Amino acid sequence: MTKTWDERIDEVWADASGEEVGDDTIARIDALAAERGPDDARAQFERAGARDSAGRPAEAVELYRRALALGLDDEHRPQCVIQLASSLRNLGDYDEALSVIRAEEALSSDGPYRDAVATVHALILASAGRPAHGLSVALLALVPHLPRYHRSMTAYAHEIAELDA
């Protein structure tokens, strides 16, 4: 039985797990992306992810932007935005990273990636010299998962955020 494109992409990522991503993984992803053409959003997203994983965030950012412009499905769009914001953080472009992640936060406040969005948001704030505010964002993301103490932990998280002021 012939594997689908998605299965072959997943296979490349499975092969790369646990090891440093390099030129071989990029080449394999690029070959699969070429099957779908330069105007396929998902193909550009996968190409971006390969470069991101290989420590090439500047290359990844342009491909993430292209993928978003081409239009990704509801599963891959939030992943792309999260990865774009993370790459921007890695490049030191904290203002744009915050803008991107805050916009996604508004869109996916109840989506499956909300905790990943909050995690990246917290990392960006910490990298931007606002670690207390970042801790606050992380704590607020954890509150819904706690069996109790929602009100007090929410209050503490807001109080901590003020420490960066």
Side-chain angles (χ1 to χ4, degrees), residues 17-109:
S17 89
E19 61 184 65
E20 191 172 311
V21 171
D23 291 337
D24 179 58
T25 301
I26 291 172
R28 290 176 66 195
I29 293 288
D30 283 354
L32 289 168
E35 293 176 13
R36 293 178 76 150
D39 292 330
D40 184 272
R42 177 70 190 287
Q44 298 310 304
F45 168 66
E46 295 297 342
R47 292 182 66 226
R51 282 151 179 82
D52 200 358
S53 296
R56 300 178 189 176
E59 293 174 33
V61 163
E62 294 311 312
L63 290 165
Y64 286 138
R65 287 182 175 143
R66 174 120 173 95
L68 289 167
L70 289 168
L72 287 161
D73 60 36
D74 290 341
E75 173 67 19
H76 295 96
R77 189 200 52 75
Q79 293 176 47
C80 187
V81 172
I82 290 165
Q83 291 169 219
L84 169 61
S86 179
S87 290
L88 290 166
R89 180 190 75 85
N90 288 333
L91 292 169
D93 192 347
Y94 307 128
D95 291 337
E96 186 174 358
L98 283 170
S99 176
V100 166
I101 207 67
R102 285 179 175 147
E104 185 58 30
E105 213 167 35
L107 284 174
S108 66
S109 62

